[in-house]
Amino acid sequence: MWTLMGLISRSAEQLGMHRDGTVLSLSPIETEERRRLWWQLQHLDLILSLKNNVTPLSFGAGWDVRLPLNIEDDDLDPSSTTPPKERIGLTSFSYTLFTYWKMERQRRFRMTQASQATAGDTSLLGCLADSVIDDLEAGLNEHFLQYCDPINPLHTILQITARAVVNVLRLRKLHEARMRSQNSDDPCHVEHFNACMQGMGYIVVSHSNLQLKPFIWLVESSFLWYAFIGILVDMSSLKDVTLIKSAWTLLSQLYAVVDHISDLEDDRRKSHAARSVVATWYECSQKPGLAEMQKPGFVSKLEKDLAALENKINGARENQVSVSQDVWQTRPVEAELQPFGFEFADIDWAFWDSIN
């Protein structure tokens, strides 16, 4: 699919779709149709590129197609020689436009990042300044969030997704700051943990609201794995018992409402994450003030599921492994309990960051 998408994108460029209709003096309706088609092609290219862990063509290509207008389809008149006036507020096209708007900002950010790298600044912090994130958040509020109706499920999904986008950017910045920190008591560690918790919280809210079920397909393909792993990593160094307990409460809610992360055979990331969850639980249970904390039910279930998965992989009952507390405590720490290691430097962040 990704290879085919490349052919489609290049064919569209060969047809001149990468130029805005106003530049080519096209009619308003043709200009709008071309914009919608081009941006949808860029969106598909982005999704398929992320799944294949490659850079989208749209981030490096030179094109000037503007964002589509915030209008209803009925606003387009084939006989009109002037473009329709954009509507104030949200329309049936607004969620799609929101997706394209995010892409446009992401493309702008990538271009800034590339220019700074050329100038010798390879740090993410250089171009992902607080002002950049604040401007993005202000833009989301101005164009979309201020018009959201809290009783409209699609608007609620838009709100959650928009807040999650801002959270992801702040998390990426905090991640680099945490990596640079040499002091475990540095405030950036707790800030990073809280950002990871907030990211998982958005997922719990979106999956637990029954009114959002018809629209959950819009967000279920995006799971913040690096925020999930970040919580586990941070718990190993946190000293605040209250924060650690809140993390286990959130993870319990997460596994209760997001069914697909429990399917360990579906994706190796899920089985790796499950092993990390179990390992983190036994590590946390040794911390002062947490020895009496009851094991969450989802951890026990993950142990059983991991045992079943291991038995299936081994293909023989004589190789069955009982994943009990004794086994987890006696296995070699580096080889078994810490599949990624519990230091950020040991985690394959490129692998996890490829998931969006």
Side-chain angles (χ1 to χ4, degrees):
M1 284 294 293
W2 173 71
T3 304
L4 181 60
M5 190 66 239
L7 291 174
I8 295 173
S9 296
R10 292 308 186 192
S11 297
E13 187 174 351
Q14 190 175 35
L15 292 171
M17 299 292 294
H18 65 299
R19 302 305 309 275
D20 194 73
T22 56
V23 176
L24 304 176
S25 301
L26 300 178
S27 67
I29 187 170
E30 187 174 0
T31 296
E32 184 64 17
E33 289 174 344
R34 286 166 60 99
R35 287 173 179 172
R36 293 188 179 190
L37 177 58
W38 177 259
W39 277 97
Q40 185 60 26
L41 289 176
Q42 302 314 302
H43 181 238
L44 291 174
D45 175 60
L46 174 64
I47 297 300
L48 292 173
S49 296
L50 289 173
K51 288 184 178 296
N52 287 275
N53 199 26
V54 295
T55 302
L57 289 174
S58 59
F59 286 162
W63 46 273
D64 57 8
V65 181
R66 300 175 187 174
L67 287 170
L69 299 174
N70 183 37
I71 57 176
E72 297 287 358
D73 291 345
D74 294 341
D75 296 332
L76 291 170
D77 182 1
S79 62
S80 177
T81 58
T82 58
K85 184 178 180 180
E86 284 200 271
R87 297 201 181 197
I88 297 176
L90 300 183
T91 65
S92 59
F93 185 64
S94 290
Y95 190 90
T96 302
L97 183 59
F98 160 69
T99 302
Y100 299 161
W101 189 90
K102 288 188 300 177
M103 289 175 55
E104 191 272 336
R105 291 303 179 97
Q106 189 175 13
R107 182 171 184 259
R108 188 187 306 178
F109 168 76
R110 290 280 186 169
M111 294 175 68
T112 302
Q113 188 179 26
S115 63
Q116 291 188 352
T118 302
D121 182 7
T122 59
S123 170
L124 181 63
L125 296 178
C127 52
L128 195 55
D130 287 331
S131 59
V132 174
I133 303 176
D134 292 340
D135 287 344
L136 175 73
E137 188 171 22
L140 288 170
N141 286 325
E142 177 184 356
H143 296 289
F144 303 100
L145 299 185
Q146 67 168 319
Y147 303 112
C148 286
D149 182 351
I151 66 173
N152 186 315
L154 186 58
H155 291 188
T156 302
I157 284 286
L158 194 155
Q159 283 182 309
I160 294 173
T161 307
R163 299 303 181 196
V165 168
V166 176
N167 172 259
V168 165
L169 292 179
R170 298 197 188 281
L171 178 57
R172 288 181 179 274
K173 180 177 179 181
L174 288 168
H175 168 59
E176 183 165 342
R178 188 196 187 286
M179 288 282 289
R180 291 181 174 184
S181 174
Q182 301 296 322
N183 184 1
S184 60
D185 294 327
D186 194 309
C188 70
H189 291 267
V190 175
E191 292 175 1
H192 180 271
F193 173 79
N194 289 334
C196 291
M197 290 281 287
Q198 188 176 25
M200 289 295 99
Y202 287 132
I203 294 178
V204 170
V205 170
S206 63
H207 282 76
S208 58
N209 190 329
L210 294 178
Q211 291 184 330
L212 304 184
K213 290 293 184 182
F215 305 100
I216 201 65
W217 63 272
L218 292 169
V219 297
E220 65 181 357
S221 61
S222 300
F223 189 83
L224 301 178
W225 283 109
Y226 46 85
F228 180 93
I229 296 298
I231 292 175
L232 301 180
V233 173
D234 286 337
M235 274 199 289
S236 66
S237 59
L238 282 176
K239 300 176 182 178
D240 191 322
V241 173
T242 302
L243 289 179
I244 295 175
K245 288 183 176 180
S246 68
W248 286 111
T249 299
L250 180 62
L251 290 175
S252 296
Q253 296 170 345
L254 183 70
Y255 272 91
V257 298
V258 185
D259 297 333
H260 68 83
I261 62 174
S262 299
D263 188 358
L264 305 187
E265 297 184 43
D266 176 56
D267 190 327
R268 68 187 180 95
R269 291 166 294 193
K270 298 171 185 178
S271 59
H272 289 329
R275 292 187 180 94
S276 291
V277 168
V278 175
T280 304
W281 163 254
Y282 285 113
E283 183 176 357
C284 287
S285 66
Q286 304 301 315
K287 290 178 176 286
L290 294 173
E292 302 301 323
M293 185 170 63
Q294 186 176 3
K295 183 194 296 185
F298 82 96
V299 175
S300 299
K301 183 178 184 303
L302 287 178
E303 289 180 319
K304 295 178 181 178
D305 292 344
L306 285 169
L309 179 63
E310 189 169 349
N311 292 337
K312 185 173 183 179
I313 292 175
N314 291 337
R317 289 191 175 275
E318 59 268 23
N319 293 327
Q320 289 182 0
V321 178
S322 175
V323 187
S324 63
Q325 179 174 352
D326 292 338
V327 173
W328 283 106
Q329 290 179 334
T330 56
R331 286 184 176 183
V333 173
E334 288 299 324
E336 299 293 343
L337 293 189
Q338 303 185 19
F340 302 111
F342 280 91
E343 296 295 333
F344 273 101
D346 296 330
I347 295 179
D348 184 1
W349 281 97
F351 170 73
W352 291 96
D353 278 351
S354 67
I355 310 160
N356 189 352

